[in-house]
Amino acid sequence: MATPAPRPRIRLDKKEAKKGDLVEVKALVAHIMESGQRKDKDGNVIPRKIINKFTCEVNGQLVFAADLEPAVSANPYLQFKFKAEETGKVVLTWIDDDGTKIVGEDTITVS
Amino acid sequence: AVAVLSLGGVGPAFAKNDSDELIKAFTGGKAPVKGKIKLDLPDIAENGNTVPLAFTVESPMTEASHVTDVLIVAEGNPRGGLATFHFSPRSGVAEAATRIRLAETQNVIAIAKMNDGSLFTDTRQVKVTIGGCGG
Amino acid sequence: GGSIRAFAQQRVTQADLLAFEPVGNVTLVHVTDIHAQLMPVYFREPTVNLGVGEAKGVPPHVTGKALLDAYKVPAGSPLAYALADVDFEALAKSYGRVGGLDRVATVIEAIRAARGDRVVLLDGGDTWQNSYTSLATKGQDMVDVMALLKPDAMTAHWEFTLGEERVKEIVDKLGFPFLCQNVRESEFQDEVFKASTMIERGGVKIAVIGQALPYTPIANPRWMIPNWTFGIREKELQAEVDKARAAGAGLVVLLSHNGFDVDRKLASRVKGIDVVLTAHTHDALPAPVKVGNTLLIASGSHGKFVSRLDLDVRDGAVRDYRYRLIPVLSDVITPHAGVAATIAQHRAPHEKMLGEVVGKTATTLYRRGNFNGTFDDVICDALLAERDAEIALSPGFRWGPTLLPGQNITREDVYNATAMTYPAAYRMSMTGGRLKEILEDVADNIFNPDPYLQQGGDMVRVGGLSYTIDVSKPIGGRIGDLALVRTGKPLAADKDYTVAGWASVNEGTEGPAIWDVVFDHLKKTPTVAPTGASTVKLSGA
Ligand SMILES: [Mn+2]
Ligand SMILES: [Mn+2]
C-alpha cells in the first residue's frame, strides 16, 4: 500500500474490570475490502484485497478470532467480548491478503 | 423515488453460490439442529453494502462445554462465505457482531460448533430493497 | 343536501370544536406530519388506503363512508368533512380550509388554559419540510413558528432530508428535545440524539421516547445522512421503556414516526408502553386503537387535526382516558395573533411570488391514496411532455394539499406538492424488465403483509404506463400486464424505454427541479382537468 497503514479504532466498554467480568470490544479499521468480484471500466477484474483474518489476544492469550471473506463490508467492524482474567495488554491484529499486519492495542486493568 | 442499485463489493455473479459446500466442509456432513444460536439481522437492509449482523450462542463457555467456531454464510450472494468466528473459554461468551454485504434479498445462515462436536443453526431472511418513495 | 350542510356550518363554533369533558391528571396533545404547511389548506383524505395481512379492512385501512359508519360520524358534520372523501367538494365549499399553524396555536392555547400544568405537547415529525418557505429557509420558518407553540419534544423523518449538518445545527438550538432512540452513529452505534425525556405533569412522571422513521435511509437519500443508521431497534426500545419505568415513570409515551401498521405490531411486542402517538402514514382516526393495554392515536397531517388525549394516571397505570380528534377548521378557529405575525413575517419576502397564478384546475387536485392522485397525474403529464419521455414515475409521497375544482393554481400550490431537497427531474432509459422490478420492489414496500417489511410511502405514481397489481401476491408476482398507454402495446422486458421521474434517492441525479418542469408545462397548458381515471388495475384487495 502506498498510504501508511490506517490506525484502527478500538473501544473497550470498561478500562477496569473485576476478574471474571465480561469486557466488550468494538473495533474498526479503514480498509476497502476489495472483493475480487468487481470489474473496472475496461472490464478487467479488480484483484481481491481484503482483511482475511482478525485476532484478539489478551496478555498473549488468544480470546477471539475471525476469518473474514470478501462479503464482509469495507472498513470491517468487529464486536465481541472476552473474560477478564488479569491486567494486561489487549492486542488486536488485522491481516491483509498481502500479509500486511495492522495492529492496535489497548489495556485492561483487572482487580 | 427510484434508486439504481450498485453494490460496491458483491457485483456480478461469477460462480454458483457455494454456501452448501461451505456448510458441508464445516459440519462434516452432519446436520445441525435448530436452536442455541440466535442470529440478529435487520428485516430490511438500510444499505446492502453494510448490513449489521450479530449472533449469540447459549453456552456456559467452560473447558468442559463451550463453543469453538461459528460459520456464517449467505445463500444469495455470488459467493456464500461471510465469516467464521473462533471462540474459547477465555471468550467468556460466544457472541460477536460484524457488518456484511448482501447483493439481494436472501437468507443468512449461522452454524455453531461446540467442543463436543454438536452443531446448532439459525437462519434469518434480510430484504434488500431498490429504494423508496418516502411518505 | 346543500342547505343542511350550510346550516351545519353556520352552527359550528370554536367552542364546539374544542368542547371536551376533561378527565384525569394528564393531557397529551399531539400534532404531526404538518409538512411545513403554515397556512390553511384543503386536504382530501384518501379513497384507497389498503391494508394487507392482519391490517386488512381494519382502521386505519377503512376509508370514505365505511370509515364514517365505523365510528358513527354523522354525515356532513365537521368531523365527517375532515375524515373522509365523501362529498368532499361540497363540504369543502361549505366548511372551507383546514389547518394553519396560527389556528393550531389557538387550539393548543385553549387546551393549556383549560388544563394548566397537565398538558404535554408532542410533535410527531415531518414538520420542517415540503413548502417553498421551508425549503428556502432550510426549515427555519417551521422551527421559529413551532417554537411559539412550545412543544415538549419532537421526533423526525423528513427533517433528515435537510442533511446531517443542518439537522444538528437546528437541534442544538431547538430548546426542547429532539428524540430518536433508533438513530445511531454508524461506526460504533453511539446515540446521535436523546432517546427519551422525562416530563412531570399533574404529579405524574411521563417518559416520552422518540422513534424516527426507521427506514429513512431507504425512503430518502442515504447520502444526506451518511454517518447515521436507523432501524426499528425493538430491543433497544424495550430497554428504554424498562429504564423509564425503573426511573419512576407513571406513564410511558412513544412519540413515533413508524407508521400506523408498524406501531400496531410494535405495540404487541414491546411491553410497557401506555400510548403510541403514531405518524408517517397520515391516518386520522376519531378514537384510539387498542393493542393490549396500549392506546394508538392517529392525528392526521397538514395541520388538519390536533389530538387531545386526557389520561387518568394513578399508581403507574392508566385508569381512564378520553380522546378527541379535533378538526382544525380554519374559518371557525380564531388565528393566534402572535403566531400569525411570525408566519406573515416569514412569508413576506416570498408572498408575491407564491401568489402568482400559473394555471387553473377544472377538477379536484389531490395526492393522498395508494395509487395516483390527480395532482400526481398533472406532475406525470408535465414529466412526459417537458422531458420528452414515454413513461413518467412520480414518488408516492403522502404529503401535498388539495385544490378544488375551479381554483387557480399558484406557484405556492405547485411547491406544496413538490418542495424538497432532491428535486431533480431525471431522464433515463430503462428496460421493461427493470420497470417491472421497480414496481414490484415498491409494491412490496407497502403491501408486504409484515408491517416491519413496509418501509416507504404509497405506490410510485406512473404516467404513460398501465399495469395490473394483485396486492395479495408475494414480491415478484404482484405486477403484470405492463403496457404503454399511448400505443396499448405491452412492454418488452429487454427493450429500452425513456423514463422521466423525480426524487431519486441517488446522489448526483441530474435534471431540472420538478417544480420548474410543472411550471413549464402549465405555461403551455394552463388549465388542467385530470379525471382521476386510473391506469392501474387492482386486484386481491
Ligand atoms: Mn408525513
Ligand atoms: Mn413521514
Side-chain angles (χ1 to χ4, degrees):
Chain A
M1 273 202 288
T3 45
R7 249 194 39 199
R9 283 188 65 192
I10 300 167
R11 192 194 291 173
L12 309 189
D13 71 338
K14 46 180 93 65
K15 295 292 291 170
E16 289 166 17
K18 288 202 186 69
K19 191 173 157 65
D21 277 358
L22 291 175
V23 180
E24 185 182 69
V25 183
K26 291 179 176 180
L28 187 140
V29 67
H31 193 286
I32 187 166
M33 293 294 279
E34 186 61 61
S35 68
Q37 293 160 44
R38 292 200 307 163
K39 289 181 181 175
D40 64 18
K41 53 181 186 297
D42 301 322
N44 304 312
V45 174
I46 304 170
R48 170 181 144 153
K49 179 175 172 55
I50 70 165
I51 297 284
N52 63 55
K53 181 128 194 112
F54 171 83
T55 62
C56 174
E57 292 176 334
V58 181
N59 268 350
Q61 290 261 2
L62 186 69
V63 298
F64 174 83
D67 303 313
L68 309 183
E69 302 292 335
V72 168
S73 306
N75 308 325
Y77 171 80
L78 286 153
Q79 181 185 323
F80 56 93
K81 289 175 181 160
F82 67 85
K83 194 155 89 181
E85 295 286 4
E86 73 271 309
T87 297
K89 260 191 204 169
V90 179
V91 179
L92 310 189
T93 309
W94 289 261
I95 304 172
D96 190 294
D97 277 342
D98 67 11
T100 312
K101 281 186 183 177
I102 303 165
V103 180
E105 275 188 22
D106 207 330
T107 56
I108 183 82
T109 306
V110 180
S111 57
Chain B
V2 173
V4 179
L5 197 63
S6 66
L7 290 176
V10 281
F14 286 359
K16 185 185 152 291
N17 181 288
D18 57 349
S19 46
D20 285 351
E21 288 84 341
L22 294 170
I23 291 172
K24 215 165 159 192
F26 184 77
T27 61
K30 195 175 145 192
V33 179
K34 177 104 187 132
K36 293 227 180 192
I37 182 163
K38 196 172 169 295
L39 252 184
D40 192 5
L41 284 150
D43 293 315
I44 303 181
E46 121 184 339
N47 176 356
N49 277 322
T50 171
V51 182
L53 174 150
F55 65 84
T56 61
V57 193
E58 269 175 57
S59 165
M61 295 304 279
T62 58
E63 281 301 332
S65 173
H66 61 269
V67 180
T68 57
D69 311 277
V70 172
L71 171 76
I72 315 270
V73 298
E75 283 188 324
N77 274 353
R79 289 186 188 156
L82 288 172
T84 312
F85 299 89
H86 308 287
F87 299 94
S88 73
R90 283 290 310 255
S91 307
V93 62
E95 56 178 70
T98 187
R99 290 173 195 145
I100 59 171
R101 293 161 168 160
L102 295 177
E104 58 186 40
T105 299
Q106 60 183 282
N107 285 327
V108 175
I109 302 167
I111 301 171
K113 190 187 282 177
M114 309 302 191
N115 62 321
D116 65 1
S118 58
L119 297 158
F120 297 91
T121 187
D122 192 20
T123 301
R124 286 275 309 207
Q125 191 187 66
V126 181
K127 180 175 167 182
V128 179
T129 177
I130 299 174
C133 304
Chain C
S3 62
I4 294 168
R5 280 194 298 271
F7 180 62
Q9 192 219 351
Q10 242 171 27
R11 278 177 37 207
V12 59
T13 63
Q14 181 166 317
D16 295 335
L17 294 180
L18 296 175
F20 200 108
E21 193 58 48
V23 66
N25 45 1
V26 173
T27 294
L28 299 181
V29 178
H30 183 226
V31 291
T32 192
D33 294 87
I34 294 166
H35 287 282
Q37 297 302 311
L38 290 168
M39 303 296 286
V41 294
Y42 293 109
F43 190 86
R44 179 192 182 278
E45 295 296 330
T47 307
V48 181
N49 181 11
L50 300 174
V52 283
E54 287 173 17
K56 188 172 175 174
V58 300
H61 301 286
V62 182
T63 56
K65 185 167 184 306
L67 175 69
L68 301 182
D69 290 348
Y71 289 96
K72 299 186 172 61
V73 178
S77 64
L79 195 57
Y81 164 54
L83 280 177
D85 64 340
V86 180
D87 241 355
F88 176 76
E89 286 78 11
L91 290 174
K93 271 183 205 147
S94 171
Y95 284 117
R97 290 178 163 85
V98 293
L101 279 188
D102 47 3
R103 274 77 165 184
V104 169
T106 299
V107 174
I108 292 165
E109 198 174 67
I111 297 171
R112 283 195 171 119
R115 293 291 279 168
D117 77 338
R118 299 178 188 86
V119 177
V120 181
L121 171 62
L122 299 167
D123 171 7
D126 278 357
T127 307
W128 300 346
Q129 279 294 277
N130 310 128
S131 70
Y132 178 83
T133 53
S134 67
L135 192 64
T137 64
K138 297 187 170 69
Q140 196 61 46
D141 62 333
M142 292 306 295
V143 171
D144 292 350
V145 174
M146 288 304 289
L148 301 176
L149 272 50
K150 299 193 171 53
D152 291 287
M154 74 178 290
T155 190
H157 164 204
W158 272 89
E159 284 70 14
F160 296 113
T161 63
L162 289 167
E164 284 182 9
E165 209 180 314
R166 176 62 177 153
V167 171
K168 277 196 281 192
E169 181 186 40
I170 295 177
V171 168
D172 283 348
K173 291 183 273 184
L174 201 55
F176 57 87
F178 184 89
L179 303 175
C180 306
Q181 79 84 14
N182 59 332
V183 180
R184 303 296 165 98
E185 174 268 336
S186 305
E187 288 200 339
F188 283 177
Q189 307 291 295
D190 295 330
E191 229 176 43
V192 179
F193 307 102
K194 274 184 73 175
S196 68
T197 188
M198 195 78 94
I199 300 166
E200 196 156 338
R201 292 285 192 281
V204 181
K205 277 180 144 182
I206 303 161
V208 179
I209 305 170
Q211 175 91 352
L213 178 71
Y215 299 121
T216 302
I218 304 171
N220 306 94
R222 188 170 62 229
W223 60 266
M224 291 181 170
I225 40 171
N227 298 303
W228 298 344
T229 174
F230 291 62
I232 295 174
R233 297 181 188 265
E234 237 181 29
K235 227 189 301 173
E236 292 93 326
L237 176 59
Q238 184 67 68
E240 201 63 35
V241 174
D242 297 345
K243 198 178 85 185
R245 290 286 182 195
L251 181 73
V252 175
V253 177
L254 184 66
L255 179 60
S256 172
H257 203 100
N258 278 331
F260 196 94
D261 292 343
V262 174
D263 279 326
R264 184 182 353 237
K265 177 173 173 181
L266 183 138
S268 73
R269 293 162 60 93
V270 176
K271 300 299 160 208
I273 299 173
D274 297 299
V275 178
V276 182
L277 300 171
T278 74
H280 182 62
T281 37
H282 292 197
D283 309 294
L285 293 176
V289 169
K290 266 193 116 171
V291 177
N293 289 324
T294 307
L295 299 174
L296 270 62
I297 301 295
S299 307
S301 64
H302 295 77
K304 189 177 183 181
F305 298 99
V306 173
S307 272
R308 171 174 171 181
L309 176 64
D310 278 20
L311 297 155
D312 185 16
V313 183
R314 271 176 290 143
D315 312 319
V318 174
R319 308 288 164 178
D320 194 9
Y321 68 87
R322 191 165 294 144
Y323 175 69
R324 184 158 185 202
L325 179 69
I326 302 168
V328 181
L329 298 186
S330 318
D331 296 345
V332 175
I333 292 164
T334 312
H336 182 289
V339 174
T342 303
I343 293 171
Q345 210 181 331
H346 271 289
R347 290 176 56 83
H350 316 288
E351 194 93 57
K352 191 159 166 273
M353 180 277 288
L354 292 173
E356 260 178 67
V357 174
V358 293
K360 192 181 177 77
T361 182
T363 55
T364 307
L365 294 189
Y366 63 92
R367 173 173 285 151
R368 184 73 180 95
N370 287 151
F371 302 95
N372 283 43
T374 48
F375 215 131
D376 302 306
D377 291 333
V378 172
I379 292 170
C380 285
D381 286 348
L383 282 165
L384 292 174
E386 297 301 317
R387 301 249 62 202
D388 188 23
E390 296 170 282
I391 293 166
L393 298 177
S394 188
F397 296 147
R398 294 191 179 89
W399 49 268
T402 301
L403 297 183
L404 298 183
Q407 221 181 311
N408 284 330
I409 304 170
T410 63
R411 283 201 192 278
E412 176 155 42
D413 296 327
V414 174
Y415 282 116
N416 277 344
T418 56
M420 36 92 95
T421 52
Y422 48 106
Y426 62 82
R427 182 177 191 274
M428 63 192 291
S429 76
M430 280 185 205
T431 63
R434 180 65 181 165
L435 277 156
K436 170 164 155 62
E437 202 183 353
I438 288 166
L439 292 179
E440 287 282 2
D441 193 80
V442 181
D444 196 59
N445 292 337
I446 51 167
F447 299 123
N448 193 300
D450 181 350
Y452 279 16
L453 295 177
Q454 301 167 0
Q455 52 80 9
D458 279 314
M459 190 67 190
V460 60
R461 278 64 169 128
V462 295
L465 178 71
S466 63
Y467 66 90
T468 60
I469 178 167
D470 182 345
V471 299
S472 68
K473 292 274 187 342
I475 189 166
R478 290 191 184 95
I479 308 291
D481 300 336
L482 286 89
L484 280 182
V485 172
R486 192 167 43 85
T487 60
K489 273 203 185 143
L491 257 57
D494 54 357
K495 192 177 172 288
D496 277 325
Y497 299 88
T498 312
V499 179
W502 63 290
S504 167
V505 297
N506 288 346
E507 191 167 12
T509 301
E510 286 175 16
I514 184 65
W515 47 81
D516 286 329
V517 173
V518 176
F519 292 146
D520 287 348
H521 182 59
L522 289 175
K523 222 176 272 170
K524 290 160 202 156
T525 52
T527 300
V528 298
T531 60
S534 183
T535 63
V536 181
K537 208 173 145 225
L538 174 69
S539 65

